[in-house]
Amino acid sequence: MVLQVVNSPFTEQQIQLLNELVPNLSAEQKTWLAGYLAATTQHGQTNQPAVIVEEVQAPIKTITASILYGSQTGNAKKLATQFAEELKQNDVQVEVYSMVDFPVKKLKKVDNLLIVTSTQGEGEAPDNAKTFYEFLHGARAPKLENLKYSVLGLGDTSYDLFCQTAIDFDTQLHKLGGVALVPRVDCDLDFQEDASNWFTAVQQALLQQSGVGATIAQEKVSSTQEVTAYSRQNPYYAEVLEKINLNMTGSNKETYHVELSLEGSGISFTPGDSIGIYPKNNTARVQSLLEALAIDANDHVTIQQEELTIQEALTHRLEISVLTKPLLEKLGVSPLPEVAWREGRDLIDLVKSYDVKLDAQTLADTLRKLPPRLYSIASSYDANPDEVHITVGLVRYDIEERHYEGVTSGWIASELAIGDQIPIFIQENDHFRLPKDDEPIIMIGAGTGIAPFRAFIEQRDETGATGESWLFFGEQHFVTDFLYQVEWQRYLKEGTLTKMSVAFSRDQAEKIYVQHRILEEAKTFYEWLEKGATIFICGDEKQMAKDVEAAILQVIQEQQNTTEHEARAYLERLTQEKRYLRDVY
Amino acid sequence: MTKKIVLPPQEGTPAVNEGIKKESNYLRGTLKESMKDPLTGSIGAADQNLIKFHGSYMQDNRDERDERQRKKLEPSYQFMIRVRTPGGAATSEQWLMMDEMARTYGNGTLKITTRQAFQLHGILKWNVKAYMQEMNRVLLDSLAACGDVNRNVMCNVIPTTSKIHEEVYQWSVKVSEHLLPKTQAYHEIWLDGEKVHDTPQVEEVEPIYGELYLPRKFKIGIAIPPSNDTDIYSQDIGIIAIVEDNELKGFNITVGGGMGMTHGDDETYPQLGHLIGFVTPEQLLVTTEKIVTIQRDFGNRIERKNARFKYTIDRYGIEWFKEELHKRLGFELEEARQFHFERTGDEYGWVKGENGNWHFTLFIQGGRVKDFEDYPLMTGLREIAKVHEGRFFMTPNQNLVISDITPTKKRKIQSLITKYKLTDGKHYSALRRNSIACVSLPTCGLAMAEAERYLPSLITKIEEILDESGLHEQEINIRMSGCPNGCSRAAIGEIGFIGKGPGKYNMYLGAAFNGSRLNKIYKENVDEATILQELRTIIPHYAKERLEGEHFGDFVIRANYVEATTDGTNFHTKPSVLR
């Protein structure tokens, strides 16, 4: 990459400096710099690209590829889009599809198929991958002898069915006759490096098809790309403006409303997005672990060429709360503890029960990076441009005599204070988006699942949207747990919210949940679907989303007086039309 | 069939409440619907007014207001339900039901009100109906326990004169029943009663009240001299049983008493009833009815602050009133018979009635029945109710009489009293035994200062002064209300406190121990330190210079601390005598 006076706005002196600097930067440094420059020049100035890229040579033969992603939180989509951009830079003809949008008839004609997919819950395909997954595994799946493919899996090793969807796709494509371009790679929560390596391999394999060989163009920055300085790799330190426990005394829950400042960060987001937060491990928990292992808190360790104390490393860098299978294998624990035992237990339990002995550096090398935790954003950027709000439920439970709290929620609940600065990034979530302003929406959420709907309604309030909106909310008790109650009352009064149905499960002898309210309102619910409503579901998958889906199917079946199969087909159509959207965890 | 009642016109715009009543279709309003709205624990403003007629106030826990607002929650709306129990009577079955309801739907406590009624707090909107239905199963209701109608009829509870007490008590029930609203709204809304179809346009649903009911609340109490425990001078209608040769001859009638006033508005004042004559038992119901209709027709429906019956009487004059009453009755009241009141307070502990049965009067501080730390009052009473075959009587002083215990049962009841450490209060100072406090904070929406939660600790501090002066056993009435509406009848306390703001009270002195004279303002807007400082002068002075049998309320007048209030109209006259 060479800058010249004629192809850039710089003076000769500047170009000399830049040409000295730029080629020596790593990819990460470049991304950061680009973002930094874009952010610092944002106010009122022309959105000039930070770096202008030299033209690349035309390849000899045109290569085509399709990238399909199955994404729940947006990571797979983001990677797919990023890879596509880079392939285009190398004159590969690329098409990117969410799996739900991919016209399956085209599959036979695809030369190179790249799949990037996450795995949901217990080995299930993400929502927008389900139909394609079923198609590929069904009787209508075509023979794919001419297909070259590769699969990138995103997952979390704390689940035993780690990257199962990616494995399934890989296996099935192979069965159908496809040939792997490069082997599948399964990434853990900290996916960047593995994903990048997989892509480099894929890109090389593709370019070899054209004869260009290894001359891969450098990573580039497109002038149209919107960049902020901050990212998952370079989080923004947001100041905590407000922290309120929304539940009253007497509740079984602790739900924190946290407001963070984005002032001056240049960060923006869209309703439906999440933020990632890098937490820290509980001080006492770190202490206990060190004691259990008889490691001195001040022992120095090296992580990625950086030297720090083991205490710092365990507090800010390493995950100590989850017993993943790979971790147990690395530690050589034998016999491998059962899943049921591992569930909810942490490294301290393991050390104590299995008499694990490690020195500080081995410990640091063995543990995986402390992953960020994602929370659905509970506010609208347009309504509060300098802030981002989240709704965090404190996870807490007891096993035998010991009390446990979730890493991030426990930290927010007990240690986070107003005025603190915490590292965050925006996680886009394009599959969970409001429809047009005049279209009706049905929002179904339980507990903290209410969060994105607060963002939706704030947004619709801000834009004066005319579409009807119906909110279902479930919690345990009316008196103590009605999250954001007065706000909903106000939106109802002002008409931004058309209708609200609530289910408080423990206010009466029999348990009443949101799905019961859906069934009670079956007729109206179906009418809303018929007039084009988009359904949004947010919250716990196992506890809520499944039951809600069953209720919706029942409503469709009853109201149409049809079969279960037909009702499923109806819901399938809604999914295809992006009118059945879930943000479940 | 009564024709629709049309009221004589009044000049001015009727008070808001009048419109609400008129629109309500005899107390229905939109209660049925608003009780079901699942998104709020509250009901609309009009329905809040109407539900009072059904015996309930919408309230919220004021202690939690700020916190809930911060948490983006509406106030903790809840309902207080006041049960109609004429004469304060409850069977064991009824007591057990109230006890259970308090623990199931309420805040786990029962309040005995100054009008001898059960009051439950903290009932959520969704539970009100279930509560009403459960209560109905034991033949209790809350109809007209609040609202612009005749409220719970009070009756003396001294049970030693068993025969007379029973007879007079039955009259309190009859008066209460006679003056109950006749609308079916209560049955429709709470008891799933059939809706009465198409109210005929000409026929009056409420032959006594009419569709606008009364301009303001209305209170009736019956006393059996020499006890004036029901404070009959504070009632709109006071009924004094006249007993000669152990026979109930009839009743003296007083009219136009009432406690409420508004701070800073001298046009409002507490007033004592005027004695107007004597009626025979057979004349009692019609007399109360006609008195009520006079207030219905002439009470102020423009200005609610001046709508109580006492202002109607004071405006038109007592002679006019007597004439109007005679006109409506078709006969004249006889001249009032001789009677004599000694006291308003309760006497505690065991007493034997003339029929040989026993009665135990239990001291209940502030009328609050609950399980205190080290004092399982609520549990103890529950255990007693499980075996007690007689009745309970809630007293006008917020205490409880376990009544009609047969000699054979006495030992069993006594063993329970001992087991649960239930107290006749005899170890408390006589001041504490003669104390009354309204509910006030945190649930009462009108409260300006603490009452029930604060008075006990204030008394503890006053007791130090009493003990130093050797007055531990000297009976003195002390009453505290959180606002000037007067639920504790503070204006006839020998020492009265009416809340002005947090920690601040107007301090009144000089009421008669037997309830026949109002007190007078002594210090305005004072805090605890000032109250104690003043009493540190007055109480030792009283101990030193009181005459034989002289009550505290009389002494402070003779010693020129305050002037005597001779009538409600001079209640606000500032103390002219300075010491």
Side-chain angles (χ1 to χ4, degrees):
Chain A
M1 169 160 62
V2 181
L3 288 170
Q4 296 168 5
V5 180
V6 289
N7 68 3
S8 77
F10 302 113
T11 65
E12 264 192 66
Q13 198 185 357
Q14 286 172 325
I15 281 175
Q16 200 183 342
L17 285 169
L18 284 168
N19 281 337
E20 266 174 46
L21 172 71
V22 174
N24 295 319
L25 295 177
S26 72
E28 196 173 312
Q29 284 170 324
K30 279 183 211 165
T31 311
W32 188 90
L33 184 65
Y36 173 76
L37 293 172
T40 49
T41 56
Q42 241 183 9
H43 297 289
Q45 295 191 24
T46 49
N47 200 13
Q48 287 286 334
V51 180
I52 302 267
V53 172
E54 202 184 22
E55 289 285 316
V56 281
Q57 277 184 319
I60 298 150
K61 176 190 149 200
T62 307
I63 313 156
T64 64
S66 295
I67 306 181
L68 303 192
Y69 61 84
S71 191
Q72 197 75 37
T73 62
N75 283 329
K77 181 188 172 181
K78 203 169 176 184
L79 285 175
T81 318
Q82 194 181 314
F83 295 156
E85 278 304 310
E86 291 192 36
L87 288 175
K88 278 180 198 163
Q89 298 291 340
N90 285 294
D91 290 309
V92 178
Q93 276 189 11
V94 194
E95 291 180 313
V96 189
Y97 292 99
S98 164
M99 287 186 194
V100 71
D101 295 331
F102 180 67
V104 288
K105 279 187 195 136
K106 278 181 79 169
L107 187 57
K108 281 292 276 184
K109 295 177 193 154
V110 172
D111 295 327
N112 295 292
L113 176 68
L114 304 179
I115 283 183
V116 183
T117 183
S118 60
T119 298
Q120 180 67 12
E122 300 298 332
E124 286 161 39
D127 283 349
N128 58 10
K130 280 194 174 118
T131 45
F132 182 71
Y133 182 94
E134 276 158 29
F135 166 78
L136 212 57
H137 286 79
R140 289 163 52 232
K143 287 276 164 228
L144 299 169
E145 288 97 349
N146 299 320
L147 182 77
K148 295 192 181 64
Y149 75 92
S150 191
V151 177
L152 179 69
L154 301 181
D156 178 348
T157 49
S158 67
Y159 290 91
D160 266 23
L161 295 172
F162 170 60
C163 285
Q164 189 59 44
T165 304
I167 296 168
D168 291 348
F169 274 128
D170 189 16
T171 314
Q172 188 62 12
L173 287 170
H174 178 72
K175 255 191 210 165
L176 294 171
V179 177
L181 269 172
V182 299
R184 186 189 78 244
V185 169
D186 298 332
C187 309
D188 201 356
L189 287 173
D190 180 33
F191 59 82
Q192 287 291 346
E193 202 180 326
D194 287 342
S196 177
N197 291 340
W198 172 83
F199 177 70
T200 308
V202 166
Q203 183 158 249
Q204 268 170 355
L206 283 176
L207 294 182
Q208 268 162 5
Q209 294 174 3
S210 73
V212 170
T215 52
I216 294 170
Q218 295 285 321
E219 192 180 321
K220 294 159 192 192
V221 178
S222 151
S223 61
T224 53
Q225 204 178 342
E226 265 190 49
V227 191
T228 60
Y230 303 103
S231 65
R232 189 184 175 102
Q233 285 70 44
N234 178 36
Y236 173 68
Y237 279 76
E239 186 183 335
V240 180
L241 297 174
E242 183 68 280
K243 173 186 144 182
I244 306 163
N245 175 7
L246 296 172
N247 301 98
M248 282 297 289
T249 317
S251 171
N252 298 320
K253 304 285 188 79
E254 273 181 41
T255 311
Y256 290 87
H257 172 78
V258 180
E259 299 182 358
L260 302 170
S261 171
L262 296 179
E263 205 177 345
S265 68
I267 293 175
S268 72
F269 54 89
T270 310
D273 285 347
S274 301
I275 64 171
I277 298 181
Y278 286 99
K280 65 184 271 296
N281 281 312
N282 181 275
T283 312
R285 196 179 212 168
V286 169
Q287 200 56 44
S288 300
L289 178 63
L290 288 170
E291 278 166 22
L293 283 165
I295 293 178
D296 189 326
N298 295 316
D299 281 3
H300 276 64
V301 292
T302 308
I303 296 177
Q304 292 174 323
Q305 288 110 52
E306 193 187 337
E307 195 172 301
L308 67 173
T309 68
I310 185 70
Q311 186 173 33
E312 280 169 355
L314 292 176
T315 305
H316 296 286
R317 301 293 187 82
L318 303 168
E319 185 177 72
I320 58 172
S321 54
V322 186
L323 297 175
T324 67
K325 209 164 147 189
L327 173 67
L328 296 171
E329 285 163 359
K330 275 195 228 169
L331 289 171
V333 175
S334 173
L336 214 56
E338 306 230 335
V339 177
W341 187 88
R342 276 149 53 196
E343 188 88 43
R345 284 197 165 81
D346 69 3
L347 197 52
I348 299 169
D349 297 313
L350 187 81
V351 167
K352 287 184 176 166
S353 303
Y354 285 80
D355 197 27
V356 175
K357 287 194 174 67
L358 287 174
D359 62 61
Q361 186 61 53
T362 315
L363 180 65
D365 293 342
T366 310
L367 296 174
R368 70 172 179 174
K369 266 167 83 174
L370 183 58
R373 169 75 163 88
L374 295 180
Y375 290 101
S376 304
I377 292 175
S379 62
S380 148
Y381 177 80
D382 290 334
N384 315 282
D386 289 335
E387 295 170 16
V388 59
H389 303 176
I390 49 171
T391 315
V392 180
L394 172 61
V395 176
R396 54 182 170 188
Y397 54 92
D398 292 296
I399 301 176
E400 285 157 18
E401 294 298 289
R402 222 188 123 189
H403 181 73
Y404 300 76
E405 288 186 352
V407 174
T408 314
S409 64
W411 166 60
I412 288 174
S414 52
E415 295 188 57
L416 192 70
I418 290 170
D420 286 357
Q421 298 200 326
I422 64 170
I424 64 156
F425 60 91
I426 300 292
Q427 179 81 25
E428 285 170 23
N429 190 3
D430 272 347
H431 84 273
F432 206 71
R433 291 287 187 243
L434 279 167
K436 290 201 205 83
D437 272 1
D438 58 352
E439 288 177 14
I441 55 173
I442 298 175
M443 300 162 285
I444 305 164
T448 54
I450 195 90
F453 305 139
R454 184 172 181 267
F456 281 7
I457 292 298
E458 265 191 22
Q459 180 74 17
R460 284 199 149 190
D461 187 52
E462 182 68 20
T463 58
T466 53
E468 291 186 303
S469 54
W470 183 358
L471 175 61
F472 285 87
F473 173 65
E475 250 296 357
Q476 289 188 350
H477 296 292
F478 173 88
V479 175
T480 55
D481 307 332
F482 197 158
L483 306 181
Y484 304 110
Q485 181 186 23
V486 296
E487 295 184 4
W488 306 126
Q489 289 175 343
R490 194 180 69 237
Y491 290 130
L492 278 162
K493 208 170 142 198
E494 291 167 358
T496 314
L497 191 57
T498 315
K499 190 169 162 61
M500 184 164 184
S501 302
V502 289
F504 294 98
S505 58
R506 302 199 185 176
D507 277 347
Q508 58 283 308
E510 72 287 9
K511 300 260 172 80
I512 296 175
Y513 298 108
V514 281
Q515 60 266 27
H516 299 117
R517 298 298 184 217
I518 292 170
L519 293 173
E520 278 170 23
E521 301 254 19
K523 191 164 172 290
T524 319
F525 195 93
Y526 183 71
E527 282 166 11
W528 278 58
L529 293 187
E530 285 292 287
K531 63 186 176 189
T534 301
I535 303 174
F536 294 90
I537 299 174
C538 183
D540 187 284
E541 182 170 36
K542 271 180 265 175
Q543 302 292 323
M544 181 203 64
K546 285 203 165 93
D547 293 332
V548 165
E549 180 162 306
I552 294 171
L553 285 169
Q554 193 183 328
V555 166
I556 296 166
Q557 199 184 331
E558 282 173 12
Q559 295 298 311
Q560 286 192 330
N561 195 16
T562 179
T563 62
E564 193 191 328
H565 183 76
E566 283 299 311
R568 277 203 180 278
Y570 185 99
L571 196 60
E572 199 73 22
R573 279 198 300 281
L574 291 185
T575 310
Q576 291 291 336
E577 292 165 16
K578 300 204 172 76
R579 286 175 47 210
Y580 181 63
L581 305 173
R582 308 192 318 157
D583 179 7
V584 295
Y585 33 84
Chain B
M1 221 165 277
T2 320
K3 276 208 173 157
K4 280 237 168 184
I5 292 164
V6 181
L7 301 176
Q10 295 185 3
E11 236 174 84
T13 315
V16 176
N17 296 54
E18 296 300 307
I20 293 169
K21 286 182 270 185
K22 193 171 172 57
E23 298 299 315
S24 76
N25 183 22
Y26 293 96
L27 309 181
R28 288 175 178 84
T30 54
L31 272 172
K32 236 181 180 167
E33 296 73 37
S34 53
M35 292 304 284
K36 283 184 191 153
D37 178 356
L39 301 180
T40 174
S42 72
I43 56 177
D47 286 335
Q48 281 178 47
N49 270 299
L50 293 173
I51 202 169
K52 292 180 188 175
F53 292 79
H54 299 258
S56 179
Y57 277 71
M58 190 185 96
Q59 307 181 321
D60 74 282
N61 185 339
R62 294 171 61 179
D63 287 350
E64 290 182 349
R65 267 187 201 172
D66 289 352
E67 189 187 0
R68 292 186 65 91
Q69 191 176 13
R70 220 169 43 248
K71 289 172 181 281
K72 305 174 192 292
L73 292 165
E74 67 177 16
S76 64
Y77 292 117
Q78 47 183 261
F79 289 77
M80 173 274 271
I81 297 178
R82 195 181 282 160
V83 183
R84 187 177 65 90
T85 46
T91 63
S92 285
E93 188 193 15
Q94 290 170 336
W95 183 277
L96 288 172
M97 177 60 87
M98 284 299 118
D99 173 271
E100 191 190 327
M101 291 297 102
R103 289 177 291 123
T104 311
Y105 297 127
N107 62 2
T109 76
L110 280 169
K111 171 90 176 177
I112 296 174
T113 75
T114 55
R115 294 193 64 78
Q116 301 177 274
F118 287 111
Q119 196 161 287
L120 273 81
H121 292 268
I123 299 168
L124 297 181
K125 188 169 85 170
W126 350 100
N127 295 331
V128 171
K129 188 169 170 180
Y131 173 84
M132 298 287 205
Q133 299 195 340
E134 292 293 314
M135 175 163 71
N136 187 56
R137 279 179 39 210
V138 291
L139 307 178
L140 286 173
D141 64 64
S142 61
L143 179 57
C146 322
D148 297 342
V149 280
N150 177 53
R151 307 242 180 129
N152 194 38
V153 175
M154 295 174 68
C155 184
N156 167 282
V157 291
I158 307 287
T160 38
T161 50
S162 323
K163 174 178 155 297
I164 293 295
H165 176 259
E166 181 61 24
E167 212 176 334
V168 174
Y169 160 68
Q170 290 302 339
W171 279 110
S172 73
V173 177
K174 283 178 213 162
V175 170
S176 178
E177 301 285 336
H178 187 70
L179 296 176
L180 268 189
K182 304 291 184 278
T183 174
Q184 287 300 301
Y186 184 91
H187 285 84
E188 284 170 25
I189 295 167
W190 312 114
L191 307 177
D192 295 323
E194 288 286 308
K195 184 160 167 69
V196 180
H197 292 290
D198 298 325
T199 313
Q201 288 306 298
V202 287
E203 193 184 333
E204 181 55 69
V205 173
E206 294 284 7
I208 297 176
Y209 292 115
E211 64 174 357
L212 292 177
Y213 295 85
L214 296 181
R216 200 72 171 79
K217 60 186 170 188
F218 200 89
K219 299 176 173 180
I220 298 178
I222 309 180
I224 308 176
S227 170
N228 183 25
D229 60 352
T230 51
D231 262 323
I232 60 107
Y233 295 111
S234 73
Q235 315 277 353
D236 290 276
I237 302 177
I239 301 172
I240 303 162
I242 299 299
V243 181
E244 288 163 9
D245 307 325
N246 206 23
E247 289 285 330
L248 178 66
K249 296 294 178 191
F251 305 95
N252 281 349
I253 303 291
T254 67
V255 293
M259 291 289 97
M261 59 173 167
T262 306
H263 278 314
D265 182 352
D266 286 1
E267 298 295 303
T268 67
Y269 48 83
Q271 180 60 290
L272 297 186
H274 310 268
L275 190 62
I276 57 165
F278 171 87
V279 296
T280 63
E282 300 73 46
Q283 294 171 329
L284 182 64
L285 294 184
V286 68
T287 304
T288 56
E289 179 188 320
K290 294 305 173 197
I291 294 171
V292 164
T293 64
I294 294 173
Q295 164 65 356
R296 178 196 70 199
D297 294 344
F298 293 96
N300 188 338
R301 289 182 187 267
I302 310 298
E303 183 56 69
R304 254 182 103 71
K305 281 194 298 193
N306 289 108
R308 285 289 297 272
F309 187 36
K310 59 187 174 183
Y311 303 116
T312 313
I313 301 257
D314 288 354
R315 196 163 63 245
Y316 285 91
I318 196 71
E319 291 310 317
W320 167 87
F321 172 76
K322 281 196 223 170
E323 208 168 293
E324 181 67 26
L325 179 61
H326 293 164
K327 207 161 71 190
R328 294 191 181 210
L329 282 171
F331 62 84
E332 292 205 357
L333 268 56
E334 289 174 35
E335 199 161 307
R337 304 277 173 95
Q338 279 297 315
F339 67 97
H340 170 67
F341 282 140
E342 278 174 6
R343 54 187 290 119
T344 57
D346 291 334
E347 289 175 87
Y348 297 93
W350 285 106
V351 290
K352 191 176 184 177
E354 60 189 7
N355 64 357
N357 283 348
W358 288 85
H359 312 273
F360 185 83
T361 303
L362 186 67
F363 172 71
I364 297 179
Q365 182 141 292
R368 184 63 63 182
V369 176
K370 68 175 199 182
D371 282 340
F372 299 87
E373 221 184 306
D374 299 329
Y375 185 36
L377 174 61
M378 195 170 189
T379 304
L381 288 172
R382 185 184 317 131
E383 293 308 314
I384 287 175
K386 284 178 187 168
V387 299
H388 179 46
E389 289 159 343
R391 268 178 303 200
F392 292 93
F393 283 101
M394 292 173 277
T395 85
N397 290 287
Q398 306 173 304
N399 297 308
L400 186 69
V401 182
I402 307 163
S403 193
D404 265 328
I405 302 162
T406 58
T408 49
K409 260 280 161 69
K410 189 185 173 213
R411 185 190 293 265
K412 175 71 187 163
I413 300 288
Q414 178 59 56
S415 74
L416 288 170
I417 287 171
T418 310
K419 180 175 175 189
Y420 293 101
K421 300 187 266 183
L422 304 186
T423 176
D424 57 12
K426 280 186 179 148
H427 61 289
Y428 289 129
S429 69
L431 180 77
R432 194 180 296 273
R433 297 199 304 265
N434 285 283
S435 62
I436 301 183
C438 71
V439 176
S440 199
L441 294 169
T443 51
C444 180
L446 302 167
M448 300 171 180
E450 297 282 350
E452 183 191 323
R453 294 197 295 194
Y454 167 59
L455 184 61
S457 70
L458 178 65
I459 289 177
T460 303
K461 287 168 186 160
I462 299 175
E463 278 168 345
E464 286 175 26
I465 307 170
L466 290 169
D467 289 350
E468 284 164 20
S469 308
L471 295 177
H472 189 85
E473 281 304 315
Q474 176 61 44
E475 293 197 295
I476 301 171
N477 290 336
I478 183 166
R479 296 174 174 188
M480 179 175 276
S481 271
C483 83
N485 284 282
C487 290
S488 72
R489 302 187 287 273
I492 31 183
E494 291 181 282
I495 304 172
F497 296 103
I498 296 179
K500 280 281 276 187
K504 292 288 180 65
Y505 299 85
N506 282 354
M507 179 178 180
Y508 298 84
L509 297 174
F513 183 69
N514 70 0
S516 61
R517 183 181 62 242
L518 292 164
N519 53 25
K520 172 78 73 190
I521 185 134
Y522 175 64
K523 291 282 168 193
E524 209 166 341
N525 209 23
V526 289
D527 61 11
E528 185 181 272
T530 314
I531 291 166
L532 292 174
Q533 187 189 326
E534 292 299 325
L535 291 176
R536 240 174 245 124
T537 309
I538 305 171
I539 289 174
H541 188 195
Y542 169 60
K544 220 166 91 191
E545 294 189 10
R546 66 187 159 147
L547 304 174
E548 175 78 28
E550 186 178 32
H551 284 289
F552 184 76
D554 300 329
F555 169 79
V556 292
I557 293 169
R558 186 173 63 81
N560 287 338
Y561 286 100
V562 289
E563 261 186 73
T565 297
T566 53
D567 186 88
T569 51
N570 62 47
F571 177 79
H572 292 297
T573 315
K574 299 291 178 224
S576 55
V577 189
L578 294 174
R579 290 183 56 91

